[in-house]
Amino acid sequence: MSKWNKNWVEVRRERFNPAPMSQQILKPRVRGFICITSHPEGCAAHVREQIAHVRSRKPLQDGPKSVLVIGASTGYGLASRIAAAFGSGAATMGVFFERNGEGDKPGSPGWYNTAGFHAEAKKAGLKAISFNGDAFSAEMKAQVIAGIKSKMPNGKVDLVVYSLASPRRTAPDGVTYKSTLKPTGAPFHAKNLDTDRKVVNDVTLETANAEEIAHTVKVMGGEDWEMWMEQMNQAGVLAHGCQTVAYSYIGPEVTWPIYKDGTIGKAKEDLERAGNKIDALMKLHRGRAFVSVNKAVVTQASSAIPVVPLYVSLLFKIMKAKGNHEGCIEQIQRLFEKQMYNGNALDFDDKGRVRLDDWEMLPEIQKAVFDVWPKVTTETLDQYGDFAGYQSDFLKNFGFGLTGVDYDAATEVERPIEDA
Ligand code: NAD
């Protein structure tokens, strides 16, 4: 190639393709309640932050040693995986539905979180196995069960965490059901926060019809949790004393029409029904099944629920001032440390649920939220709420805003999840 040609090729490459396709400078690109970009090193740093919290606590006594987390890549499921691995030295198997980066497109945060988790698990000598695909499918259940038999300690699990949040499910009948977030009583008119534009506005949500309620129950109810546990029981992969937990939410009265009494609340009622049925099954193994009602936190799932981001912004300010604010990792660490392990007993409410939302629901916290609820407007949001905290948690979920990460440097978007 002549000198002239060579230069011309180089100039073209520089102009049109400055770095290899998979090297990108990644900045947050927020669209409504989702960020369409995510940062691999930022997500890994977020995982390390959660590991550091677990390591700052004493190791669990009689903690889990072989754990399956269904919905393990973000939010409460990821926190459960981290707390089990780094607080109890557990081998963990995670199931999730995520996407690696490809070409100029970054992957999903759950993929990068898992890549970061595997890297840290490997360094710590902890076994980590992950399955990416549809947890609702028969194929995934069969693969995971085979994986438990061949790869997990003694071929069994002693804790199963069910932490899926999904907008749709293809059920064994072949029908794809879609979940909706709607009231089931009268249409709901309420204050809301447009988190994209930082505007407090009003929202009216129309009532769900019977089909929408039934479909939401199919997706977010307990049927799939039951199927997982029944199939694992039949396959003989549940260890003596095995426990299983699924997560729920109740929240304050201002959100009841859209949450507790809405389509999602009907699904959560079904989750509790399933929990009771699974509990009977787990008794055969001297184990148990229960639902834990967790605190409102910022995750991909909760950001999508109308009214909730406004409530969360106000709640965070009040709980931070009181000194009892928690995120996913603090909640799950408390569940493991104070309720499930260390020789403790589960503290059930009158409906047999564990209440990790106890501090959120303290009368003085709820009263403080209610006092400011009528006063909050676009102009007074920063005075009464912690929108900066909401936004920072939101962006952290996509790997942005973490200290020690160079966000101006191009980074490889395609990341392997390495065996650990
Ligand atoms: P999330 O969106 O952060 O996580 C959902 C997980 O489910 C991810 O790992 C995702 O990959 C996985 N997933 C979704 N569809 C899947 C599929 N088809 N196959 C395999 N994996 C799939 O959600 P989250 O907020 O942590 O919610 C988890 C549970 O906690 C839910 O039951 C939710 O109702 C409950 N909860 C959440 C809050 C909150 O404020 N976020 C509060 C209390 C309870």
Side-chain angles (χ1 to χ4, degrees):
M1 192 185 286
S2 75
K3 196 169 175 250
W4 185 86
N5 263 343
K6 207 176 183 178
N7 287 345
W8 189 81
V9 168
E10 269 166 16
V11 168
R12 261 179 72 97
R13 185 179 292 140
E14 248 173 45
R15 186 173 303 162
F16 299 111
N17 198 7
M21 273 296 266
S22 54
Q23 294 259 325
Q24 298 290 321
I25 294 173
L26 297 164
K27 303 280 178 183
R29 285 170 62 198
V30 178
R31 299 282 178 274
F33 52 76
I34 191 98
C35 179
I36 58 170
T37 48
S38 60
H39 200 286
E41 271 122 50
C43 288
H46 195 203
V47 166
R48 284 196 300 275
E49 218 178 74
Q50 296 183 64
I51 294 172
H53 174 77
V54 173
R55 284 189 165 143
S56 74
R57 311 291 307 173
K58 284 198 185 116
L60 297 173
Q61 300 298 309
D62 311 321
K65 290 291 168 220
S66 182
V67 178
L68 171 64
V69 181
I70 303 160
S73 54
T74 54
Y76 275 121
L78 173 65
S80 307
R81 187 174 200 183
I82 292 172
F86 292 90
S88 186
T92 60
M93 184 172 269
V95 184
F96 45 80
F97 211 165
E98 303 294 350
R99 183 191 78 241
N100 196 359
E102 205 188 341
D104 60 350
K105 262 200 175 155
S108 59
W111 181 277
Y112 293 148
N113 288 338
T114 306
F117 174 86
H118 272 240
E120 293 301 316
K122 194 174 184 177
K123 265 193 238 162
L126 296 165
K127 180 175 279 216
I129 298 155
S130 291
F131 290 94
N132 186 35
D134 183 9
F136 295 123
S137 70
E139 295 76 28
M140 180 56 80
K141 290 180 177 79
Q143 266 186 55
V144 167
I145 287 171
I148 295 172
K149 283 185 180 169
S150 60
K151 294 185 179 143
M152 293 299 268
N154 304 318
K156 291 179 195 283
V157 286
D158 56 19
L159 172 64
V160 180
V161 177
Y162 189 84
S163 188
L164 290 183
S166 175
R168 69 187 66 80
R169 167 185 175 213
T170 303
D173 59 10
V175 177
T176 300
Y177 297 92
K178 284 193 182 142
S179 70
T180 39
L181 290 161
K182 285 188 177 180
T184 58
F188 178 43
H189 189 72
K191 240 181 205 183
N192 183 53
L193 175 60
D194 178 338
T195 50
D196 214 1
R197 295 185 301 135
K198 200 184 170 189
V199 168
V200 176
N201 54 16
D202 286 326
V203 68
T204 301
L205 299 156
E206 294 308 325
T207 309
N209 61 35
E211 189 181 274
E212 287 171 319
I213 299 171
H215 281 213
T216 308
V217 171
K218 272 277 183 190
V219 180
M220 287 298 287
E223 187 180 65
D224 184 62
W225 183 25
E226 272 178 90
M227 290 175 63
W228 271 101
M229 299 315 297
E230 276 163 12
Q231 290 180 30
M232 285 196 279
N233 177 48
Q234 276 163 19
V237 296
L238 301 177
H240 181 80
C242 180
Q243 306 190 56
T244 182
V245 56
Y247 299 135
S248 185
Y249 183 64
I250 295 176
E253 272 183 54
V254 282
T255 65
W256 281 5
I258 180 68
Y259 202 97
K260 178 179 151 297
D261 299 334
T263 46
I264 182 73
K266 298 291 165 204
K268 293 298 184 186
E269 276 171 26
D270 188 67
L271 193 73
E272 287 178 32
R273 172 206 59 75
N276 290 330
K277 216 169 141 209
I278 299 166
D279 192 46
L281 180 77
M282 301 307 285
K283 293 265 176 358
L284 300 172
H285 303 277
R286 296 265 183 274
R288 59 191 171 185
F290 65 96
V291 167
S292 171
V293 180
N294 297 357
K295 170 186 182 282
V297 290
V298 185
T299 65
Q300 288 181 52
S302 69
S303 311
I305 307 174
V307 189
V308 168
L310 179 59
Y311 165 71
V312 163
S313 301
L314 304 183
L315 178 77
F316 279 19
K317 180 144 189 157
I318 291 157
M319 293 190 81
K320 282 178 185 174
K322 282 265 173 205
N324 60 6
H325 174 74
E326 293 174 310
C328 289
I329 196 65
E330 291 85 2
Q331 280 266 290
I332 302 303
Q333 179 66 27
R334 184 152 69 93
L335 172 68
F336 285 2
E337 201 179 291
K338 304 273 196 252
Q339 299 242 5
M340 292 179 72
Y341 303 107
N342 288 348
N344 291 313
L346 292 178
D347 189 8
F348 290 124
D349 70 3
D350 56 357
K351 294 205 167 112
R353 304 169 296 207
V354 165
R355 301 298 297 267
L356 286 183
D357 65 343
D358 49 355
W359 297 348
E360 171 183 351
M361 299 314 286
L362 283 171
E364 66 264 31
I365 298 285
Q366 286 301 311
K367 182 179 178 307
V369 177
F370 277 113
D371 285 350
V372 296
W373 188 263
K375 298 182 203 161
V376 66
T377 60
T378 305
E379 292 70 37
T380 59
L381 181 61
D382 287 329
Q383 182 188 343
Y384 296 122
D386 178 26
F387 183 67
Y390 177 92
Q391 238 181 353
S392 148
D393 282 6
F394 175 84
L395 289 174
K396 269 174 133 179
N397 285 338
F398 297 88
F400 294 109
L402 278 297
T403 43
V405 177
D406 182 358
Y407 290 104
D408 292 324
T411 188
E412 177 64 50
V413 299
E414 217 176 306
R415 297 284 173 144
I417 292 178
E418 281 169 5
D419 283 347

